[in-house]
Amino acid sequence: MNINPFGHLPDGREVRRIILSGHGLKVNILNYGAIVQDLRLEGHHPSLVLGYEKLNDYLKYSPYFGAIAGRCANRINKGKIELDGRSFQLDPNYLEKHCLHGGSISMGKSLWKIESTSNTAVTLSINVPDGHMGFPGNLKTKVTYSLMPVGTLDITMEAFTDKVTLCNLAHHSYFNLNGTGSILSHRLRVLAEHYNPVDKELIPTGLVKPVANTNFDFRSEKIIADTNHNKKDLETLMNLDHNFCLSQKIMQLRQIASLYSPESGVFMHINTTEPGLQIYTGAKINCPVPGLDKIKMSANCGIAMEPQGWPDSINQPLFPQSILRPEEQYNQHTQYVFTRYK
């Protein structure tokens, strides 16, 4: 383990990079946004996640590459919530109308404290004040990244509040198991029987629909952009940005999805306690590659697979809720497990 400077925020505060290594993995963690900046698997040279080499590029361009999204991940319709009879207006940072990932200055865009480190683990913490981005309650949060046998990136999250609030955290890495090009040739499996349809602004409609006989049926592994589908089906798959409904409540840690690249031979499976899995195939990624004129990280160059609570649940009474009360503790446990078959 080593810690080194990664740049300075506009107000002069230093951002640090913590490098962990062990069990076949090497990972770089930033204390800005609790970001996974780089992730390497032994025997596979390229990084498995999208990221930047300079802090300023994260500040200017990053669509939450590798960050912890919170205090409430995903979208909240019109940024309006009601808790115990009190109404709150949240920061409308998405389409200037809805709240996304906790607002414009969220956990994923804030400086965290380094609590403890070892060769294979780091714990980061952040205290988000009452009223921040419109949310009630002082929220104390810790995230621990650990490297575990074999090839496992283990993520645990905990949070406490002094007022009833929302808490729904999500790790937001964009994965590319080739290390370059598109993820549309990757093979995806999701162990979900249902999904949440969304409207044109990606807000859940409130419905819970079976995946059977739809383009959202990944219960058996299939190529993300299977050329056997017609043009309409391809457009649906290439613009995937939906929650897959894994359960109606927090569960024991269990396997819920996998991703495989036939090109590189890298296989990833995901274990989590969470009731939902947001999958976004990166259709709107359009980020500059610093130092390479006119070259960009473009559409579908990475896939986000984010265990979390169901989106906009506070406005959907039939969804499992992400409400946290002072007498409760928020806990999430998620693992990304990597192997290589070539």
Tab-separated table of all heavy atoms in Angstrom, residues 20-73:
chain	number	residue	atom	x	y	z
A	20	LEU	N	-3.682	-0.166	-3.569
A	20	LEU	CA	-3.780	-1.454	-2.892
A	20	LEU	C	-3.373	-2.564	-3.849
A	20	LEU	O	-3.609	-2.474	-5.057
A	20	LEU	CB	-5.214	-1.709	-2.417
A	20	LEU	CG	-5.908	-0.608	-1.614
A	20	LEU	CD1	-7.343	-1.033	-1.290
A	20	LEU	CD2	-5.144	-0.272	-0.350
A	21	SER	N	-2.787	-3.623	-3.306
A	21	SER	CA	-2.359	-4.733	-4.157
A	21	SER	C	-2.431	-6.041	-3.381
A	21	SER	O	-2.043	-6.104	-2.211
A	21	SER	CB	-0.921	-4.495	-4.641
A	21	SER	OG	-0.513	-5.511	-5.532
A	22	GLY	N	-2.959	-7.078	-4.044
A	22	GLY	CA	-3.020	-8.392	-3.426
A	22	GLY	C	-4.086	-9.262	-4.041
A	22	GLY	O	-5.027	-8.779	-4.671
A	23	HIS	N	-3.925	-10.575	-3.890
A	23	HIS	CA	-4.917	-11.566	-4.335
A	23	HIS	C	-5.219	-11.441	-5.830
A	23	HIS	O	-6.355	-11.644	-6.268
A	23	HIS	CB	-6.190	-11.449	-3.510
A	23	HIS	CG	-5.969	-11.536	-2.034
A	23	HIS	ND1	-5.485	-12.678	-1.437
A	23	HIS	CD2	-6.127	-10.614	-1.046
A	23	HIS	CE1	-5.373	-12.470	-0.130
A	23	HIS	NE2	-5.753	-11.227	0.133
A	24	GLY	N	-4.183	-11.096	-6.609
A	24	GLY	CA	-4.332	-11.033	-8.063
A	24	GLY	C	-4.864	-9.730	-8.591
A	24	GLY	O	-5.082	-9.597	-9.806
A	25	LEU	N	-5.081	-8.732	-7.729
A	25	LEU	CA	-5.613	-7.440	-8.155
A	25	LEU	C	-4.713	-6.310	-7.681
A	25	LEU	O	-4.015	-6.416	-6.677
A	25	LEU	CB	-7.016	-7.208	-7.581
A	25	LEU	CG	-8.156	-8.094	-8.075
A	25	LEU	CD1	-9.439	-7.757	-7.303
A	25	LEU	CD2	-8.383	-7.927	-9.573
A	26	LYS	N	-4.764	-5.204	-8.407
A	26	LYS	CA	-4.172	-3.937	-7.991
A	26	LYS	C	-5.200	-2.854	-8.264
A	26	LYS	O	-5.767	-2.799	-9.366
A	26	LYS	CB	-2.885	-3.645	-8.749
A	26	LYS	CG	-2.214	-2.336	-8.336
A	26	LYS	CD	-0.926	-2.120	-9.115
A	26	LYS	CE	-0.266	-0.801	-8.719
A	26	LYS	NZ	0.981	-0.560	-9.506
A	27	VAL	N	-5.488	-2.023	-7.264
A	27	VAL	CA	-6.534	-1.012	-7.424
A	27	VAL	C	-6.045	0.316	-6.865
A	27	VAL	O	-5.369	0.362	-5.841
A	27	VAL	CB	-7.851	-1.454	-6.737
A	27	VAL	CG1	-7.673	-1.645	-5.246
A	27	VAL	CG2	-8.977	-0.478	-7.028
A	28	ASN	N	-6.377	1.392	-7.580
A	28	ASN	CA	-6.102	2.750	-7.126
A	28	ASN	C	-7.413	3.384	-6.680
A	28	ASN	O	-8.380	3.416	-7.451
A	28	ASN	CB	-5.500	3.600	-8.247
A	28	ASN	CG	-4.161	3.083	-8.725
A	28	ASN	OD1	-3.550	2.221	-8.099
A	28	ASN	ND2	-3.703	3.602	-9.854
A	29	ILE	N	-7.440	3.893	-5.448
A	29	ILE	CA	-8.627	4.530	-4.875
A	29	ILE	C	-8.305	5.990	-4.603
A	29	ILE	O	-7.265	6.306	-4.016
A	29	ILE	CB	-9.047	3.862	-3.555
A	29	ILE	CG1	-9.182	2.337	-3.713
A	29	ILE	CG2	-10.328	4.494	-3.024
A	29	ILE	CD1	-10.323	1.887	-4.560
A	30	LEU	N	-9.192	6.896	-5.023
A	30	LEU	CA	-9.045	8.311	-4.705
A	30	LEU	C	-9.920	8.655	-3.505
A	30	LEU	O	-11.010	8.112	-3.365
A	30	LEU	CB	-9.466	9.183	-5.892
A	30	LEU	CG	-8.790	8.930	-7.234
A	30	LEU	CD1	-9.311	9.929	-8.266
A	30	LEU	CD2	-7.283	8.986	-7.133
A	31	ASN	N	-9.425	9.591	-2.668
A	31	ASN	CA	-10.299	10.050	-1.586
A	31	ASN	C	-11.204	11.189	-2.050
A	31	ASN	O	-11.951	11.742	-1.252
A	31	ASN	CB	-9.509	10.433	-0.336
A	31	ASN	CG	-8.680	11.699	-0.495
A	31	ASN	OD1	-8.123	11.960	-1.561
A	31	ASN	ND2	-8.587	12.495	0.565
A	32	TYR	N	-11.184	11.515	-3.328
A	32	TYR	CA	-12.203	12.358	-3.948
A	32	TYR	C	-13.268	11.437	-4.532
A	32	TYR	O	-12.988	10.608	-5.409
A	32	TYR	CB	-11.605	13.235	-5.056
A	32	TYR	CG	-12.646	13.995	-5.848
A	32	TYR	CD1	-13.258	15.125	-5.328
A	32	TYR	CD2	-13.030	13.568	-7.119
A	32	TYR	CE1	-14.218	15.813	-6.033
A	32	TYR	CE2	-13.987	14.254	-7.842
A	32	TYR	CZ	-14.585	15.378	-7.303
A	32	TYR	OH	-15.542	16.055	-8.018
A	33	GLY	N	-14.494	11.538	-4.028
A	33	GLY	CA	-15.585	10.714	-4.534
A	33	GLY	C	-15.496	9.248	-4.176
A	33	GLY	O	-16.312	8.447	-4.640
A	34	ALA	N	-14.477	8.869	-3.357
A	34	ALA	CA	-14.213	7.448	-3.064
A	34	ALA	C	-14.110	6.657	-4.377
A	34	ALA	O	-14.627	5.549	-4.506
A	34	ALA	CB	-15.273	6.859	-2.144
A	35	ILE	N	-13.418	7.248	-5.342
A	35	ILE	CA	-13.372	6.746	-6.719
A	35	ILE	C	-12.394	5.585	-6.876
A	35	ILE	O	-11.253	5.651	-6.397
A	35	ILE	CB	-12.983	7.895	-7.673
A	35	ILE	CG1	-14.162	8.861	-7.854
A	35	ILE	CG2	-12.500	7.373	-9.025
A	35	ILE	CD1	-13.798	10.135	-8.588
A	36	VAL	N	-12.818	4.526	-7.568
A	36	VAL	CA	-11.906	3.508	-8.093
A	36	VAL	C	-11.353	4.063	-9.401
A	36	VAL	O	-12.044	4.102	-10.419
A	36	VAL	CB	-12.625	2.165	-8.307
A	36	VAL	CG1	-11.712	1.177	-9.039
A	36	VAL	CG2	-13.065	1.567	-6.979
A	37	GLN	N	-10.105	4.515	-9.345
A	37	GLN	CA	-9.505	5.205	-10.489
A	37	GLN	C	-8.908	4.227	-11.503
A	37	GLN	O	-8.893	4.488	-12.713
A	37	GLN	CB	-8.432	6.186	-9.987
A	37	GLN	CG	-7.741	6.986	-11.077
A	37	GLN	CD	-6.297	6.562	-11.282
A	37	GLN	OE1	-5.666	6.014	-10.376
A	37	GLN	NE2	-5.756	6.826	-12.463
A	38	ASP	N	-8.411	3.093	-11.017
A	38	ASP	CA	-7.744	2.118	-11.884
A	38	ASP	C	-7.861	0.757	-11.212
A	38	ASP	O	-7.745	0.654	-9.988
A	38	ASP	CB	-6.269	2.511	-12.079
A	38	ASP	CG	-5.580	1.695	-13.161
A	38	ASP	OD1	-5.148	0.566	-12.873
A	38	ASP	OD2	-5.466	2.191	-14.295
A	39	LEU	N	-8.106	-0.286	-12.019
A	39	LEU	CA	-8.253	-1.640	-11.479
A	39	LEU	C	-7.615	-2.627	-12.450
A	39	LEU	O	-8.012	-2.692	-13.622
A	39	LEU	CB	-9.734	-1.974	-11.280
A	39	LEU	CG	-10.074	-3.381	-10.791
A	39	LEU	CD1	-9.480	-3.655	-9.419
A	39	LEU	CD2	-11.595	-3.585	-10.771
A	40	ARG	N	-6.619	-3.372	-11.970
A	40	ARG	CA	-5.872	-4.300	-12.835
A	40	ARG	C	-5.963	-5.716	-12.291
A	40	ARG	O	-5.888	-5.954	-11.093
A	40	ARG	CB	-4.395	-3.899	-12.892
A	40	ARG	CG	-4.147	-2.433	-13.224
A	40	ARG	CD	-4.152	-2.161	-14.702
A	40	ARG	NE	-4.117	-0.714	-14.967
A	40	ARG	CZ	-3.614	-0.168	-16.061
A	40	ARG	NH1	-3.095	-0.930	-17.013
A	40	ARG	NH2	-3.645	1.139	-16.230
A	41	LEU	N	-6.093	-6.669	-13.223
A	41	LEU	CA	-6.118	-8.092	-12.907
A	41	LEU	C	-4.820	-8.723	-13.397
A	41	LEU	O	-4.402	-8.496	-14.539
A	41	LEU	CB	-7.322	-8.759	-13.583
A	41	LEU	CG	-7.428	-10.282	-13.470
A	41	LEU	CD1	-7.633	-10.718	-12.032
A	41	LEU	CD2	-8.556	-10.800	-14.366
A	42	GLU	N	-4.191	-9.506	-12.543
A	42	GLU	CA	-2.945	-10.177	-12.900
A	42	GLU	C	-3.134	-11.002	-14.177
A	42	GLU	O	-4.089	-11.759	-14.305
A	42	GLU	CB	-2.508	-11.078	-11.748
A	42	GLU	CG	-1.155	-11.729	-11.951
A	42	GLU	CD	-0.729	-12.534	-10.743
A	42	GLU	OE1	-1.369	-12.405	-9.671
A	42	GLU	OE2	0.238	-13.297	-10.871
A	43	GLY	N	-2.226	-10.799	-15.158
A	43	GLY	CA	-2.296	-11.502	-16.433
A	43	GLY	C	-3.081	-10.776	-17.505
A	43	GLY	O	-3.132	-11.217	-18.653
A	44	HIS	N	-3.693	-9.639	-17.133
A	44	HIS	CA	-4.457	-8.818	-18.085
A	44	HIS	C	-3.992	-7.383	-17.908
A	44	HIS	O	-4.285	-6.761	-16.887
A	44	HIS	CB	-5.960	-8.945	-17.812
A	44	HIS	CG	-6.821	-8.074	-18.676
A	44	HIS	ND1	-7.059	-8.332	-20.009
A	44	HIS	CD2	-7.508	-6.927	-18.386
A	44	HIS	CE1	-7.863	-7.410	-20.510
A	44	HIS	NE2	-8.141	-6.534	-19.550
A	45	HIS	N	-3.284	-6.851	-18.874
A	45	HIS	CA	-2.598	-5.573	-18.684
A	45	HIS	C	-3.515	-4.360	-18.548
A	45	HIS	O	-3.318	-3.542	-17.645
A	45	HIS	CB	-1.599	-5.321	-19.830
A	45	HIS	CG	-0.919	-4.000	-19.723
A	45	HIS	ND1	0.015	-3.713	-18.746
A	45	HIS	CD2	-1.062	-2.853	-20.461
A	45	HIS	CE1	0.428	-2.456	-18.880
A	45	HIS	NE2	-0.208	-1.913	-19.912
A	46	PRO	N	-4.530	-4.164	-19.411
A	46	PRO	CA	-5.314	-2.913	-19.334
A	46	PRO	C	-6.141	-2.820	-18.056
A	46	PRO	O	-6.480	-3.821	-17.428
A	46	PRO	CB	-6.228	-2.985	-20.571
A	46	PRO	CG	-5.675	-4.065	-21.433
A	46	PRO	CD	-5.003	-5.025	-20.522
A	47	SER	N	-6.503	-1.590	-17.701
A	47	SER	CA	-7.432	-1.391	-16.587
A	47	SER	C	-8.802	-1.947	-16.949
A	47	SER	O	-9.246	-1.860	-18.098
A	47	SER	CB	-7.548	0.096	-16.242
A	47	SER	OG	-8.460	0.286	-15.177
A	48	LEU	N	-9.494	-2.484	-15.952
A	48	LEU	CA	-10.824	-3.050	-16.145
A	48	LEU	C	-11.924	-2.006	-16.002
A	48	LEU	O	-13.099	-2.301	-16.224
A	48	LEU	CB	-11.060	-4.174	-15.139
A	48	LEU	CG	-10.096	-5.362	-15.235
A	48	LEU	CD1	-10.286	-6.282	-14.039
A	48	LEU	CD2	-10.296	-6.121	-16.536
A	49	VAL	N	-11.551	-0.768	-15.596
A	49	VAL	CA	-12.532	0.297	-15.392
A	49	VAL	C	-12.093	1.555	-16.138
A	49	VAL	O	-10.903	1.780	-16.378
A	49	VAL	CB	-12.714	0.625	-13.892
A	49	VAL	CG1	-13.258	-0.579	-13.150
A	49	VAL	CG2	-11.412	1.108	-13.266
A	50	LEU	N	-13.072	2.383	-16.495
A	50	LEU	CA	-12.768	3.663	-17.117
A	50	LEU	C	-12.348	4.654	-16.039
A	50	LEU	O	-12.889	4.656	-14.931
A	50	LEU	CB	-13.993	4.205	-17.852
A	50	LEU	CG	-14.635	3.305	-18.914
A	50	LEU	CD1	-15.743	4.076	-19.648
A	50	LEU	CD2	-13.617	2.769	-19.904
A	51	GLY	N	-11.383	5.513	-16.394
A	51	GLY	CA	-10.924	6.503	-15.432
A	51	GLY	C	-9.961	7.476	-16.077
A	51	GLY	O	-9.643	7.380	-17.267
A	52	TYR	N	-9.506	8.424	-15.284
A	52	TYR	CA	-8.586	9.465	-15.740
A	52	TYR	C	-7.315	9.447	-14.911
A	52	TYR	O	-7.310	9.003	-13.755
A	52	TYR	CB	-9.241	10.844	-15.621
A	52	TYR	CG	-10.259	11.144	-16.691
A	52	TYR	CD1	-11.604	11.324	-16.372
A	52	TYR	CD2	-9.882	11.260	-18.026
A	52	TYR	CE1	-12.540	11.618	-17.352
A	52	TYR	CE2	-10.817	11.549	-19.015
A	52	TYR	CZ	-12.140	11.731	-18.669
A	52	TYR	OH	-13.069	12.013	-19.640
A	53	GLU	N	-6.247	9.974	-15.503
A	53	GLU	CA	-4.959	10.051	-14.821
A	53	GLU	C	-4.753	11.365	-14.084
A	53	GLU	O	-3.792	11.505	-13.330
A	53	GLU	CB	-3.811	9.848	-15.829
A	53	GLU	CG	-3.700	8.435	-16.346
A	53	GLU	CD	-3.417	7.428	-15.236
A	53	GLU	OE1	-2.614	7.745	-14.329
A	53	GLU	OE2	-4.016	6.339	-15.257
A	54	LYS	N	-5.656	12.335	-14.304
A	54	LYS	CA	-5.505	13.637	-13.647
A	54	LYS	C	-6.819	14.052	-13.002
A	54	LYS	O	-7.899	13.843	-13.558
A	54	LYS	CB	-5.052	14.688	-14.662
A	54	LYS	CG	-3.649	14.447	-15.214
A	54	LYS	CD	-3.219	15.567	-16.159
A	54	LYS	CE	-1.810	15.337	-16.678
A	54	LYS	NZ	-1.391	16.428	-17.609
A	55	LEU	N	-6.701	14.689	-11.826
A	55	LEU	CA	-7.878	15.117	-11.085
A	55	LEU	C	-8.721	16.095	-11.882
A	55	LEU	O	-9.962	16.011	-11.868
A	55	LEU	CB	-7.451	15.749	-9.756
A	55	LEU	CG	-8.584	16.337	-8.909
A	55	LEU	CD1	-9.584	15.264	-8.497
A	55	LEU	CD2	-8.020	17.057	-7.690
A	56	ASN	N	-8.090	17.044	-12.563
A	56	ASN	CA	-8.851	18.057	-13.305
A	56	ASN	C	-9.779	17.434	-14.338
A	56	ASN	O	-10.853	17.975	-14.627
A	56	ASN	CB	-7.910	19.057	-13.976
A	56	ASN	CG	-7.332	20.048	-12.991
A	56	ASN	OD1	-7.847	20.208	-11.883
A	56	ASN	ND2	-6.248	20.712	-13.373
A	57	ASP	N	-9.388	16.293	-14.895
A	57	ASP	CA	-10.255	15.627	-15.878
A	57	ASP	C	-11.478	15.015	-15.207
A	57	ASP	O	-12.565	14.996	-15.801
A	57	ASP	CB	-9.466	14.564	-16.643
A	57	ASP	CG	-8.356	15.173	-17.476
A	57	ASP	OD1	-8.573	16.268	-18.037
A	57	ASP	OD2	-7.264	14.585	-17.547
A	58	TYR	N	-11.323	14.524	-13.977
A	58	TYR	CA	-12.502	14.073	-13.226
A	58	TYR	C	-13.437	15.249	-12.957
A	58	TYR	O	-14.659	15.126	-13.082
A	58	TYR	CB	-12.085	13.434	-11.899
A	58	TYR	CG	-11.651	12.000	-12.018
A	58	TYR	CD1	-10.305	11.662	-12.049
A	58	TYR	CD2	-12.587	10.969	-12.114
A	58	TYR	CE1	-9.893	10.341	-12.160
A	58	TYR	CE2	-12.190	9.647	-12.236
A	58	TYR	CZ	-10.843	9.339	-12.256
A	58	TYR	OH	-10.456	8.025	-12.385
A	59	LEU	N	-12.865	16.388	-12.592
A	59	LEU	CA	-13.696	17.549	-12.271
A	59	LEU	C	-14.433	18.083	-13.491
A	59	LEU	O	-15.573	18.545	-13.391
A	59	LEU	CB	-12.825	18.658	-11.674
A	59	LEU	CG	-12.048	18.312	-10.398
A	59	LEU	CD1	-11.236	19.511	-9.929
A	59	LEU	CD2	-12.968	17.829	-9.304
A	60	LYS	N	-13.820	17.985	-14.666
A	60	LYS	CA	-14.402	18.558	-15.883
A	60	LYS	C	-15.318	17.596	-16.631
A	60	LYS	O	-16.359	17.998	-17.165
A	60	LYS	CB	-13.283	19.003	-16.843
A	60	LYS	CG	-12.477	20.192	-16.379
A	60	LYS	CD	-11.402	20.513	-17.408
A	60	LYS	CE	-10.530	21.683	-16.978
A	60	LYS	NZ	-9.450	21.952	-17.968
A	61	TYR	N	-14.923	16.325	-16.712
A	61	TYR	CA	-15.547	15.442	-17.691
A	61	TYR	C	-16.252	14.197	-17.133
A	61	TYR	O	-17.107	13.622	-17.800
A	61	TYR	CB	-14.493	14.941	-18.685
A	61	TYR	CG	-13.664	16.011	-19.325
A	61	TYR	CD1	-12.264	15.988	-19.236
A	61	TYR	CD2	-14.251	17.057	-20.033
A	61	TYR	CE1	-11.496	16.970	-19.830
A	61	TYR	CE2	-13.482	18.051	-20.627
A	61	TYR	CZ	-12.099	18.000	-20.518
A	61	TYR	OH	-11.335	18.978	-21.101
A	62	SER	N	-15.901	13.754	-15.954
A	62	SER	CA	-16.287	12.410	-15.538
A	62	SER	C	-17.784	12.254	-15.265
A	62	SER	O	-18.349	13.012	-14.472
A	62	SER	CB	-15.523	12.014	-14.268
A	62	SER	OG	-15.987	10.768	-13.783
A	63	PRO	N	-18.427	11.254	-15.884
A	63	PRO	CA	-19.819	10.906	-15.555
A	63	PRO	C	-19.853	9.881	-14.412
A	63	PRO	O	-20.327	8.765	-14.573
A	63	PRO	CB	-20.346	10.319	-16.858
A	63	PRO	CG	-19.150	9.669	-17.473
A	63	PRO	CD	-17.946	10.479	-17.045
A	64	TYR	N	-19.297	10.268	-13.265
A	64	TYR	CA	-19.250	9.422	-12.066
A	64	TYR	C	-18.363	8.194	-12.253
A	64	TYR	O	-18.580	7.169	-11.597
A	64	TYR	CB	-20.658	8.993	-11.632
A	64	TYR	CG	-21.575	10.139	-11.306
A	64	TYR	CD1	-22.429	10.677	-12.272
A	64	TYR	CD2	-21.601	10.719	-10.037
A	64	TYR	CE1	-23.268	11.747	-11.983
A	64	TYR	CE2	-22.439	11.784	-9.738
A	64	TYR	CZ	-23.267	12.289	-10.717
A	64	TYR	OH	-24.112	13.339	-10.421
A	65	PHE	N	-17.321	8.282	-13.102
A	65	PHE	CA	-16.407	7.153	-13.265
A	65	PHE	C	-15.910	6.689	-11.895
A	65	PHE	O	-15.215	7.406	-11.185
A	65	PHE	CB	-15.195	7.545	-14.107
A	65	PHE	CG	-15.441	7.687	-15.578
A	65	PHE	CD1	-14.641	8.521	-16.347
A	65	PHE	CD2	-16.437	6.971	-16.221
A	65	PHE	CE1	-14.837	8.653	-17.710
A	65	PHE	CE2	-16.643	7.086	-17.588
A	65	PHE	CZ	-15.833	7.935	-18.338
A	66	GLY	N	-16.263	5.465	-11.503
A	66	GLY	CA	-15.710	4.824	-10.322
A	66	GLY	C	-16.141	5.358	-8.982
A	66	GLY	O	-15.649	4.914	-7.940
A	67	ALA	N	-17.068	6.322	-8.937
A	67	ALA	CA	-17.412	7.022	-7.698
A	67	ALA	C	-18.453	6.264	-6.876
A	67	ALA	O	-19.123	5.351	-7.363
A	67	ALA	CB	-17.932	8.419	-8.022
A	68	ILE	N	-18.604	6.686	-5.619
A	68	ILE	CA	-19.732	6.261	-4.802
A	68	ILE	C	-20.848	7.282	-5.000
A	68	ILE	O	-20.688	8.463	-4.683
A	68	ILE	CB	-19.362	6.174	-3.315
A	68	ILE	CG1	-18.311	5.086	-3.081
A	68	ILE	CG2	-20.615	5.917	-2.471
A	68	ILE	CD1	-18.784	3.677	-3.391
A	69	ALA	N	-21.957	6.835	-5.559
A	69	ALA	CA	-23.110	7.711	-5.781
A	69	ALA	C	-23.959	7.745	-4.513
A	69	ALA	O	-24.322	6.704	-3.973
A	69	ALA	CB	-23.931	7.212	-6.960
A	70	GLY	N	-24.283	8.951	-4.032
A	70	GLY	CA	-25.084	9.078	-2.819
A	70	GLY	C	-25.171	10.537	-2.391
A	70	GLY	O	-24.500	11.380	-2.987
A	71	ARG	N	-26.036	10.908	-1.420
A	71	ARG	CA	-26.590	9.975	-0.468
A	71	ARG	C	-27.740	9.159	-1.022
A	71	ARG	O	-28.177	8.194	-0.380
A	71	ARG	CB	-27.026	10.662	0.821
A	71	ARG	CG	-28.299	11.520	0.725
A	71	ARG	CD	-28.788	12.044	2.061
A	71	ARG	NE	-27.974	13.122	2.544
A	71	ARG	CZ	-28.142	13.706	3.739
A	71	ARG	NH1	-29.152	13.326	4.525
A	71	ARG	NH2	-27.353	14.655	4.126
A	72	CYS	N	-28.250	9.521	-2.179
A	72	CYS	CA	-29.290	8.701	-2.790
A	72	CYS	C	-28.975	8.524	-4.267
A	72	CYS	O	-29.129	9.451	-5.065
A	72	CYS	CB	-30.676	9.319	-2.614
A	72	CYS	SG	-32.005	8.176	-3.067
A	73	ALA	N	-28.499	7.335	-4.608
A	73	ALA	CA	-28.147	7.039	-5.992
A	73	ALA	C	-29.383	7.040	-6.887
A	73	ALA	O	-30.507	6.861	-6.431
A	73	ALA	CB	-27.449	5.681	-6.070
